[in-house]
Amino acid sequence: HPADFGFKLPPSVSYEEGSMFEPLAVGLWATEKAALKPENNVAILGVGTIGMMTLKSVLAVGITDVTVFDVSDFKLDMAKQFGAKTVNSKDPKIFKTYSDAFDVVFETAGNSVTTSNTVNLVSRGGTIVLVGLPSKDENILNTNLLNSKEGVIKTVFRYANMYPRALQLVSSGKIQLKPLITKY
């Protein structure tokens, strides 16, 4: 394995935490691509592993107004413990309640329902960051609405040189991964 692709864990970081650095790096890259400003309000659609890491990353850069949408009460409860507002989105009609509400919308679920709702949720001049990979290649996006909002779409496939930053943030305690580990 090339040394350039290896990162030594500091003694304060467990192997269990180290195993979460790849999804954390994706969340950090998504956050960086979003070019967040402190006053932004953010929505994260889906708080599985990548969504939770995106939440941790968004909070680490100082965003305080974060709303997460998911269908799992367990995941929503965990996100609430970290400081997010939560919305159970089992009924997709709930998204209409939040039309034009968010400066930045992260789609991390990889779901066609959440992907199509990003355009409804984003505010005028806002940014959508597509992180999740839907199981089907074609998804519906209302491009007329997106154009009228002058919205921006950014995409994330993996991460880009985020491991050193992940190490620094976890080592310093700015991002804590232990609360995410539910079984050892």
Side-chain angles (χ1 to χ4, degrees):
H1 192 75
D4 288 351
F5 296 125
F7 295 90
K8 186 174 179 167
L9 294 177
S12 63
V13 178
S14 70
Y15 288 125
E16 291 83 7
E17 292 169 292
S19 71
M20 301 178 81
F21 273 50
E22 191 277 339
L24 176 57
V26 173
L28 288 169
W29 183 233
T31 300
E32 187 154 314
K33 294 264 307 231
L36 295 169
K37 297 176 185 137
E39 66 274 11
N40 287 151
N41 63 340
V42 169
I44 300 172
L45 308 184
V47 280
T49 305
I50 298 297
M52 200 63 79
M53 294 303 180
T54 302
L55 172 60
K56 288 285 198 172
S57 300
V58 165
L59 295 171
V61 298
I63 302 300
T64 58
D65 189 356
V66 183
T67 303
V68 297
F69 294 77
D70 203 287
V71 297
S72 165
D73 289 330
F74 174 78
K75 292 174 186 177
L76 290 169
D77 288 343
M78 187 174 280
K80 189 180 285 186
Q81 290 174 25
F82 301 139
K85 294 178 232 168
T86 60
V87 177
N88 189 309
S89 54
K90 283 181 185 166
D91 182 355
K93 293 176 187 170
I94 192 73
F95 292 113
K96 291 182 185 202
T97 307
Y98 296 90
S99 292
D100 305 323
F102 300 101
D103 301 313
V104 178
V105 178
F106 292 92
E107 196 294 321
T108 63
N111 179 289
S112 60
V113 171
T114 52
T115 299
S116 65
N117 274 289
T118 58
V119 178
N120 298 326
L121 296 173
V122 75
S123 62
R124 302 210 175 275
T127 300
I128 297 167
V129 183
L130 299 176
V131 185
L133 296 174
S135 59
K136 58 183 188 176
D137 288 339
E138 294 181 17
N139 292 279
I140 297 170
L141 285 177
N142 183 338
T143 55
N144 287 338
L145 181 57
L146 184 64
N147 285 347
S148 71
K149 290 182 175 189
E150 293 190 357
V152 173
I153 294 180
K154 296 186 177 186
T155 61
V156 170
F157 180 60
R158 291 192 182 144
Y159 50 85
N161 305 314
M162 289 287 124
Y163 272 83
R165 187 168 178 206
L167 274 168
Q168 187 275 325
L169 289 167
V170 172
S171 297
S172 71
K174 191 152 187 179
I175 291 181
Q176 295 182 1
L177 298 176
K178 284 183 183 174
L180 296 171
I181 302 169
T182 55
K183 291 184 181 180
Y184 283 91

